Amino acid sequence: MEEIILISYLNDFIFCPVSIYFHKLYGNLDKTLYQNSPQINGTNAHKAIDNHNYSSRKNILQSINVYSEEFGIEGKIDIFDIENGILTERKNKVVKIYAGYIYQVYAQYYALVEMGYIVNKIRIHSIKDNKNYNIKLPYEDKETDLRFRNLIKEIHEFQIENFVQTNAAKCKNCIYEPSCDRSLIC
């Protein structure tokens, strides 16, 4: 059986596959030792969801664990409105809809569908400016869905010993750069 992929790792893998190694290595350490303000702000933005304080309505699922057997992925959703079938992923401040954001909500979508829920709409919510960005459902955007499926396959087949970083900008913006033996920052 292949190893389970955490939904949060999809975006991380696109940024840099080695970052997942460091997530696991630093797992139980105090995050303030290595996180920067964007990661800390993102964690703080999710507190209402993680503490189940976003809504008291019974038809709103918040911060529940989901799992997709088909893709071997698991994680948490932010908000799912059962009544309207709306899946919402909250981000602290959306400046661009990155592919990793879409792949994360696709993973959540597939897990919810496997669990028997009907998902009619996916959106990414930018908390800072209170904007919603609608994302096409996987069957409405077959090209993006194929890229999502290929990413899952690539993660399952990834061999860290063969990885060579080629993007210095990613190293510059990586919270793990000081510990990484593949950093392009001298």
Side-chain angles (χ1 to χ4, degrees):
M1 182 174 144
E2 294 178 324
E3 187 174 328
I4 300 290
I5 299 170
L6 296 180
I7 292 172
S8 61
Y9 287 177
L10 299 177
N11 195 41
D12 297 337
F13 188 86
I14 292 169
F15 177 74
C16 177
V18 178
S19 70
I20 295 170
Y21 165 80
F22 285 106
H23 281 314
K24 291 178 181 180
L25 182 67
Y26 290 5
N28 293 327
L29 291 177
D30 181 351
K31 291 179 180 180
T32 59
L33 296 174
Y34 61 92
Q35 285 189 339
N36 294 326
S37 57
Q39 291 83 24
I40 293 167
N41 291 341
T43 299
N44 289 336
H46 276 89
K47 280 188 178 178
I49 298 296
D50 294 338
N51 295 331
H52 300 273
N53 295 330
Y54 175 77
S55 175
S56 61
R57 291 176 39 210
K58 299 288 184 210
N59 68 310
I60 302 293
L61 300 179
Q62 48 193 328
S63 189
I64 65 159
N65 291 315
V66 294
Y67 172 73
S68 167
E69 185 174 353
E70 177 183 358
F71 294 104
I73 51 178
E74 72 175 335
K76 288 189 180 231
I77 62 160
D78 283 350
I79 302 165
F80 181 61
D81 178 340
I82 299 169
E83 189 175 296
N84 296 304
I86 301 172
L87 172 62
T88 304
E89 171 70 15
R90 292 164 44 100
K91 300 289 184 190
N92 191 45
K93 173 77 171 124
V94 175
V95 293
K96 176 182 176 186
I97 301 295
Y98 293 101
Y101 293 179
I102 296 171
Y103 301 152
Q104 285 179 308
V105 292
Y106 274 20
Q108 295 169 14
Y109 165 88
Y110 281 117
L112 284 168
V113 169
E114 278 187 43
M115 294 169 67
Y117 292 102
I118 297 170
V119 181
N120 297 317
K121 183 177 183 177
I122 299 173
R123 64 185 182 189
I124 295 173
H125 179 77
S126 178
I127 297 167
K128 286 281 188 197
D129 53 9
N130 198 32
K131 290 184 180 177
N132 288 316
Y133 300 88
N134 293 326
I135 305 299
K136 290 182 180 178
L137 296 170
Y139 64 84
E140 297 172 327
D141 188 347
K142 294 192 183 298
E143 188 176 311
T144 301
D145 187 46
L146 180 60
R147 287 195 303 267
F148 162 77
R149 292 167 183 272
N150 287 336
L151 176 65
I152 298 293
K153 183 178 178 196
E154 187 179 342
I155 293 171
H156 281 300
E157 295 173 351
F158 180 72
Q159 300 293 319
I160 195 169
E161 61 273 5
N162 298 330
F163 177 74
V164 177
Q165 179 57 269
T166 59
N167 187 334
K170 287 187 177 187
C171 294
K172 183 179 177 189
N173 291 306
C174 181
I175 61 175
Y176 303 115
E177 186 279 327
S179 303
C180 187
D181 66 343
R182 293 147 205 272
S183 175
L184 298 175
I185 308 293
C186 297

